[in-house]
Amino acid sequence: MVSPHGIKLAVYLISSYFGELNAKVCDCLLRRGTQTLHQVVSSTELSRKNVKNCLLVLIHHNCVQAFAIRQPGGFGEEAKIITQYMALFDNIIHKLRFPKFIEIVSEELGKECEEILEWLLQHGRLSLSQIIVKYKQASKQVGMTCHFPGDSSADAAQDSFNRLVNARFVERCPAPDPLLEPPAEEETAAKKRGAKSAKIQAQTMEQQALAAAAPMESMRFLVENIWNDSVEKADKRTTDVKCGMKRKQEDLESNTKDPATGEKEVLWRANFEEFIRRLRHKACVANVKVRVNNDAAIVLAATLELSRHSETKLRIDNSVPQSINAIYDEVIKREGGLGMDLERIRASLDDLGCEAPLMEIDETYSVDLKNIIEQARIEEVESIVLKRYGREAYRMFRLLSKADRLVETDKISDTTFVEKKDAVKILFKLWKDDYLEMKKVIARAPKQSEFILWKINKQSLWEHILDEMYHAALNLRLRTTHEKEQEKEILQMPKDKLVGELGNKYMRLRKVCIVLESSLMNLDDSLMLFHDF
Amino acid sequence: MSRSSEAAALKRKRPDSSTQGLVDAELVVLNVVKSKKNQGVWVADVKKEANIAPALVDKCLTSLVKKNLIKKVPSIQNKAKKYYMAVEYEPSEELTGGAWYSEGKLDKEFITVLRETCLKVIGMMKVATVEGIHDFLKKRKVVECCTSQQVGEILNSMVLDDSIIEVKSTGLGEYHSIPIGSVCYRIAVGVTSGPKTIGPMASIPCGACPRISVCTPDGIISPKTCVYFTKWLDIEF
Ligand code: SF4
């Protein structure tokens, strides 16, 4: 279930990128769940045409997925095929982290790949020929010649693109509206799609739709060679397409088909899953660096680098087992890892909670990532408790989080050295704000007395915290917009007029925006920690 | 036990020297008080159980106190009630509120001193077990009258404060003098106590805001007009 403030944030993001109409449609889908076109029209009270356009924009930007279901017709009627639309909440929130995705590519693959990724993020989906055209245009522009040299820009573009796909940063787009078979035929479908949908019973209709839409693993990262003439055609077609965030309908549909041949061109998009995986790994390493030590962080980073290629899903609990030799080879390639020997690596693996294998023959290690993520979450919540409720509450909260069971009030106050009546007050406050669960127990013998027991329910607390974080993220965004609106005139003035009082105001606004935006970026790390990792 | 059999049991006992010269009533009262061990007994209960005239019980109690056989003890549950206990017992935790309470109040000063001392000792010893720290304190006479259980409790609370961390001895290096697997303590990595990192949520006003549940985009409390934000953004420069 998506949290209420998560929805508010998502809708706000859509409205700032694609305008109010899109936001309205998105809001409807997020709140009511999967809907048909007809349902969206009636609940948003927008015209059918408007809704259709909005859905197309949202689909193109990977915020909505369509799928069809076959509804059996009654009394001799034909079965009907009904198209449904579902909002992809995660993909909408990912918009917040585009700068982080771009940074990853820029660090790993360089400027040219970064440029291509940026286009893909900006436009949602592009075909390779469109990318090549853009590349050519960019290389013609003055000032950019340095990183787009020479005439062979089509080759260069293809080359950079291949590198992005090979690193799994870019993938083929999912099918536009896969047909979900009614339950009876599900089994065969499950077999065809392999292990991925083995647990088909437990999947919701939405999950099935996503699985059905996803390109086959063998196709997902497969680039076919592209003939030059098709590039040329695309060249003419797309020269007048403008870059911009609020791209509208007209240039959307032309993307999917090559008018000359009528053949469908393959569309590509950024592969969010890979980016989130990288960020998840980064977060684990960063946490270990602070909580354990530098050596352990280096070893973990190496292990994850190796594990990455064979990870089958995003939220794996344990890294894929790696042999000590492979880990060693990777460790010494890293900064700070050169001086490490096998003994030090083994010690670090031990620090990471890995158990040494019993037999020497097959010495492999796998790190418990789930535990690291859990620790990081606990730390985050603890620091919130400290800030909001003070040190004594912090101590009590930590006691409960370590105990992970019901603890009685007196026991809490004794162990944490908090005066009994203060302890009760603090516990009640935490309980009222949904940080704790409370249970009353009446004992009859030897004399009637009431005990109050307390406990942290991590699952529901995580959800609560996440909702507050979405709320806070929305607040940061709103405040940024508000600050900019207040100083609208200054922002519109030419730079050379900004002197004296105006100059100071401008500087203040700039600083305010930097603080707000960087806080949002940091907060977004926590959003991912609690939602995506 | 019924009264008569209790009395019989008493008679069978060889009278020890301290109870010699007590009158019968005193013996009965003493017996009642003693039977309660470290729980102590409330005057009214003595009167009920001893089955002697109330005035006589009062007299006996006073004389027993004078003879240094019983003592008066305070209780945190009910400060107005008078409790008695045989001298050989120390008041139970229910009466005193535990070792950390003095005169019915949490002895914060004592706790702070003990915490600071423990922190210094651990800092000096690098790693130490509860016993190690307790022995150190005893030898140097730094803190008087404190049991190793108390030291354990203090250390435990310091772990909760994240000013020290609990580790298991590996028997190697710094741990060579400590048996493998025994629990010991060391100073946390960051020198200051508290969490090592302040999370992103805790570093912005909304993270510590008591009013977040009533804050809405266009409400009376809203991020646009929020004073916490204004203050935060002002302080930055
Ligand atoms: S915007 Fe202000 S009032 Fe609203 S939650 Fe944040 S700090 Fe609290």
Side-chain angles (χ1 to χ4, degrees):
Chain A
M1 195 45 218
V2 182
S3 79
H5 284 98
I7 294 182
K8 281 189 192 163
L9 176 63
V11 172
Y12 184 78
L13 288 175
I14 292 292
S15 97
S16 56
Y17 290 120
F18 306 118
E20 277 312 312
L21 291 185
N22 283 299
K24 218 168 168 185
V25 171
C26 193
D27 183 72
C28 164
L29 289 178
L30 283 169
R31 272 179 218 285
R32 294 166 190 254
T34 303
Q35 302 230 297
T36 63
L37 176 62
H38 181 75
Q39 285 170 317
V40 180
V41 169
S42 65
S43 52
T44 54
E45 296 178 340
L46 296 171
S47 76
R48 201 179 163 81
K49 184 163 170 274
N50 272 342
V51 172
K52 238 178 156 169
N53 283 346
C54 289
L55 285 171
L56 277 168
V57 171
L58 291 170
I59 289 173
H60 195 79
H61 283 271
N62 309 304
C63 301
V64 166
Q65 170 73 47
F67 62 94
I69 46 172
R70 200 195 301 271
Q71 212 168 55
F75 299 112
E77 275 176 36
E78 283 278 299
K80 270 193 286 185
I81 290 184
I82 298 172
T83 306
Q84 307 255 9
Y85 298 89
M86 65 193 267
L88 303 173
F89 174 78
D90 291 1
N91 286 5
I92 301 172
I93 300 295
H94 287 333
K95 289 197 169 294
L96 271 180
R97 15 201 110 115
F98 282 1
K100 290 179 191 162
F101 298 168
I102 293 171
E103 195 189 308
I104 291 177
V105 167
S106 152
E107 272 173 16
E108 206 166 299
L109 302 176
K111 186 78 192 154
E112 286 149 43
C113 292
E114 178 193 328
E115 210 92 29
I116 295 178
L117 178 73
E118 251 180 85
W119 296 329
L120 280 168
L121 292 175
Q122 207 170 66
H123 296 274
R125 304 172 170 196
L126 290 173
S127 69
L128 178 51
S129 47
Q130 286 172 322
I131 292 172
I132 292 180
V133 170
K134 280 183 167 297
Y135 202 93
K136 281 185 172 171
Q137 286 169 350
S139 59
K140 272 182 216 145
Q141 271 172 30
V142 203
M144 289 182 97
T145 37
C146 45
H147 39 264
F148 297 109
D151 269 83
S152 52
S153 55
D155 287 346
Q158 170 101 46
D159 193 51
S160 300
F161 179 75
N162 284 351
R163 291 208 291 150
L164 277 167
V165 178
N166 283 339
R168 306 197 159 200
F169 290 134
V170 170
E171 63 175 357
R172 284 182 186 229
C173 288
D177 57 344
L179 178 65
L180 281 197
E181 295 300 333
E185 287 161 56
E186 224 164 56
E187 256 179 28
T188 43
K191 265 186 212 144
K192 248 188 263 158
R193 270 180 268 124
K196 203 170 168 188
S197 24
K199 283 192 211 145
I200 202 126
Q201 260 80 1
Q203 281 184 330
T204 61
M205 188 169 66
E206 281 77 10
Q207 285 166 330
Q208 286 178 44
L210 281 181
M216 274 189 296
E217 263 323 288
S218 56
M219 295 294 286
R220 193 170 168 195
F221 303 107
L222 186 73
V223 191
E224 279 151 353
N225 262 336
I226 181 162
W227 293 304
N228 273 334
D229 63 324
S230 80
V231 176
E232 232 109 86
K233 270 178 229 139
D235 204 345
K236 288 189 196 89
R237 249 190 311 117
T238 14
T239 24
D240 45 10
V241 172
K242 288 191 190 82
C243 310
M245 291 310 254
K246 297 196 182 177
R247 277 168 39 108
K248 285 295 164 219
Q249 180 43 28
E250 303 82 71
D251 51 67
L252 292 180
E253 274 177 318
S254 65
N255 287 344
T256 46
K257 274 188 191 167
D258 186 328
T261 57
E263 236 178 75
K264 270 201 174 175
E265 263 194 273
V266 180
L267 286 178
W268 299 87
R269 65 171 185 179
N271 176 17
F272 295 145
E273 190 189 314
E274 182 64 22
F275 286 112
I276 298 294
R277 173 174 300 128
R278 300 291 179 108
L279 291 170
R280 183 179 193 247
H281 289 177
K282 262 193 183 176
C284 285
V285 172
N287 179 269
V288 162
K289 194 170 177 171
V290 180
R291 205 164 40 83
V292 188
N293 56 40
N294 213 12
D295 276 12
I298 294 172
V299 172
L300 178 64
T303 315
L304 291 177
E305 174 72 28
L306 295 167
S307 158
R308 202 180 71 214
H309 306 290
S310 28
E311 286 180 21
T312 46
K313 56 174 186 155
L314 181 57
R315 288 194 196 110
I316 52 163
D317 291 348
N318 295 293
S319 67
V320 181
Q322 302 297 334
S323 75
I324 184 82
N325 290 330
I327 296 176
Y328 174 79
D329 289 344
E330 186 62 38
V331 164
I332 54 169
K333 274 191 247 162
R334 309 195 148 247
E335 209 187 311
L338 192 57
M340 286 177 85
D341 56 13
L342 281 174
E343 270 326 296
R344 248 172 90 190
I345 294 176
R346 285 203 183 96
S348 293
L349 284 164
D350 184 59
D351 287 341
L352 287 167
C354 293
E355 284 186 17
L358 292 174
M359 279 181 294
E360 286 284 315
I361 328 160
D362 180 30
E363 193 183 350
T364 60
Y365 293 90
S366 155
V367 184
D368 185 351
L369 298 179
K370 198 176 164 204
N371 179 44
I372 298 178
I373 300 282
E374 195 68 9
Q375 288 297 329
R377 288 183 183 169
I378 292 172
E379 270 167 34
E380 173 89 40
V381 177
E382 282 173 359
S383 75
I384 296 173
V385 170
L386 177 64
K387 244 313 187 353
R388 201 181 290 183
Y389 305 97
R391 180 156 291 276
E392 294 190 326
Y394 170 74
R395 214 182 293 150
M396 291 156 84
F397 186 84
R398 271 175 58 95
L399 170 70
L400 286 170
S401 115
K402 285 193 173 192
D404 203 18
R405 58 178 166 80
L406 286 163
V407 185
E408 204 252 323
T409 315
D410 279 358
K411 172 88 182 137
I412 297 175
S413 93
D414 285 348
T415 323
T416 55
F417 297 112
V418 178
E419 190 91 53
K420 293 208 163 99
K421 45 182 199 310
D422 295 342
V424 174
K425 256 190 235 153
I426 294 172
L427 287 166
F428 265 101
K429 215 169 170 190
L430 286 167
W431 170 72
K432 228 184 79 216
D433 288 354
D434 287 331
Y435 279 73
L436 296 182
E437 273 177 10
M438 175 176 60
K439 200 171 163 197
K440 282 190 185 163
V441 175
I442 311 268
R444 304 233 173 270
K447 49 185 176 188
Q448 176 137 344
S449 48
E450 188 187 71
F451 296 100
I452 306 181
L453 306 172
W454 309 87
K455 178 182 170 15
I456 296 174
N457 177 342
K458 291 208 173 111
Q459 228 34 56
S460 66
L461 178 57
W462 290 173
E463 273 165 35
H464 175 71
I465 297 276
L466 180 62
D467 190 54
E468 284 194 344
M469 284 179 178
Y470 280 129
H471 192 171
L474 178 63
N475 285 349
L476 285 170
R477 274 297 281 233
L478 286 168
R479 184 73 183 214
T480 316
T481 317
H482 175 74
E483 292 281 345
K484 282 185 182 159
E485 215 143 78
Q486 292 279 296
E487 310 286 354
K488 229 179 350 200
E489 288 132 46
I490 292 184
L491 286 174
Q492 281 160 359
M493 257 180 226
K495 282 250 161 68
D496 53 319
K497 288 247 174 82
L498 294 174
V499 284
E501 182 63 11
L502 286 178
N504 289 342
K505 269 192 169 175
Y506 178 75
M507 287 311 285
R508 182 196 162 270
L509 178 63
R510 249 187 56 143
K511 279 186 194 156
V512 164
C513 288
I514 289 172
V515 170
L516 287 169
E517 275 156 18
S518 62
S519 299
L520 181 59
M521 278 296 117
N522 293 337
L523 182 60
D524 175 53
D525 287 342
S526 302
L527 288 177
M528 287 192 281
L529 179 64
F530 281 83
H531 182 71
D532 302 276
F533 293 167
Chain B
M1 241 191 273
S2 71
R3 274 284 300 126
S4 57
S5 65
E6 236 173 67
L10 240 179
K11 265 178 215 152
R12 246 182 278 123
K13 256 198 214 158
R14 230 185 319 134
D16 66 67
S17 56
S18 61
T19 49
Q20 273 173 2
L22 292 184
V23 291
D24 272 1
E26 282 179 329
L27 256 178
V28 174
V29 170
L30 178 63
N31 199 36
V32 171
V33 175
K34 267 193 174 171
S35 73
K36 297 292 187 261
K37 296 192 175 151
N38 67 352
Q39 300 296 312
V41 57
W42 180 30
V43 183
D45 287 334
V46 182
K47 287 174 186 167
K48 237 192 274 162
E49 287 194 30
N51 217 359
I52 330 177
L56 188 53
V57 171
D58 282 337
K59 234 170 141 185
C60 291
L61 285 170
T62 332
S63 72
L64 284 168
V65 171
K66 265 196 198 129
K67 287 176 183 157
N68 209 17
L69 290 170
I70 63 170
K71 60 186 173 183
K72 224 170 163 179
V73 288
S75 156
I76 63 152
Q77 313 287 354
N78 196 334
K79 286 181 191 128
K81 285 185 184 176
K82 277 188 208 156
Y83 273 73
Y84 287 93
M85 180 180 291
V87 277
E88 57 264 42
Y89 295 111
E90 283 304 318
S92 74
E93 294 201 351
E94 279 116 87
L95 281 179
T96 59
W100 306 106
Y101 281 78
S102 97
E103 278 143 32
K105 262 191 155 157
L106 192 65
D107 192 349
K108 290 211 166 132
E109 220 169 284
F110 177 50
I111 293 168
T112 315
V113 170
L114 203 51
R115 285 169 76 103
E116 280 167 5
T117 322
C118 284
L119 198 63
K120 268 187 221 149
V121 175
I122 299 176
M124 265 166 7
M125 298 170 80
K126 294 258 167 25
V127 280
T129 59
V130 176
E131 286 74 33
I133 296 166
H134 184 229
D135 286 348
F136 188 97
L137 295 181
K138 256 197 329 212
K139 261 189 227 135
R140 303 277 175 107
K141 298 220 166 57
V142 196
V143 181
E144 305 217 344
C145 62
C146 119
T147 64
S148 87
Q149 190 198 341
Q150 279 180 299
V151 174
E153 283 171 25
I154 283 282
L155 293 174
N156 197 4
S157 83
M158 288 162 70
V159 171
L160 292 179
D161 258 350
D162 218 8
S163 49
I164 58 172
I165 49 172
E166 201 183 280
V167 283
K168 284 232 164 76
S169 166
T170 57
L172 303 169
E174 285 171 340
Y175 301 97
H176 70 274
S177 57
I178 301 167
I180 295 179
S182 49
V183 175
C184 34
Y185 299 88
R186 54 186 312 151
I187 306 275
V189 189
V191 189
T192 49
S193 65
K196 284 168 218 86
T197 46
I198 298 290
M201 180 69 170
S203 350
I204 58 171
C206 304
C209 176
R211 305 218 242 164
I212 188 159
S213 55
V214 286
C215 173
T216 52
D218 299 303
I220 303 170
I221 296 175
S222 128
K224 285 179 198 158
T225 51
C226 171
V227 285
Y228 301 110
F229 258 111
T230 312
K231 232 168 143 188
W232 177 54
L233 293 169
D234 263 349
I235 284 172
E236 296 286 325
F237 325 115

